[in-house]
Amino acid sequence: ASTLIVFGATAALSNSSLKGFTLFDMTCFDFYDYITSNIFMPIGGILTCIFCAVILKKERIYRYVSNNGKLKNRRICLAMYVLLKYVSPILILLVMLNTLGMF
């Protein structure tokens, strides 16, 4: 709880009392926003894709996509599985690295 108080207070005061204090030429609020938007959210997206592809398995994804087998769309399920497991994590990583200025 005390960690949240410190981060919350520095973010709240970054436009008033702590206006002169900067981290990497950003106020505390801007720094927290940058870290959250450009690092934590893409990592969360990559981990979500990996979770869905590794933990849920193909058959469970098929049940979700096909309404428990009522809809016949095996190809869509396979495409979704391939996208979740291989394509999406790589694309999210590339977007994250581009946002961070790595290329």
Side-chain angles (χ1 to χ4, degrees):
S2 60
T3 306
L4 291 175
I5 291 170
V6 170
F7 283 114
T10 56
L13 296 173
S14 65
N15 288 326
S16 59
S17 302
L18 295 176
K19 195 171 194 167
F21 180 74
T22 59
L23 299 166
F24 303 105
D25 294 329
M26 292 182 267
T27 64
C28 290
F29 181 83
D30 293 334
F31 179 72
Y32 300 153
D33 179 53
Y34 180 82
I35 294 294
T36 302
S37 300
N38 297 317
I39 295 174
F40 292 151
M41 287 180 71
I43 288 173
I46 291 170
L47 292 175
T48 301
C49 289
I50 292 171
F51 170 79
C52 289
V54 174
I55 303 297
L56 293 182
K57 304 289 184 200
K58 284 183 193 177
E59 287 307 312
R60 197 166 187 182
I61 293 173
Y62 176 71
R63 279 190 293 137
Y64 290 150
V65 172
S66 68
N67 196 16
N68 287 324
K70 293 177 184 172
L71 304 172
K72 305 296 181 206
N73 52 4
R74 278 257 184 226
R75 285 187 226 157
I76 293 173
C77 176
L78 180 62
M80 183 181 289
Y81 183 77
V82 170
L83 287 171
L84 279 172
K85 190 167 187 175
Y86 302 108
V87 179
S88 296
I90 292 170
L91 291 177
I92 293 170
L93 181 66
L94 289 175
V95 169
M96 180 177 126
L97 293 176
N98 185 38
T99 304
L100 294 175
M102 302 271 180
F103 49 69

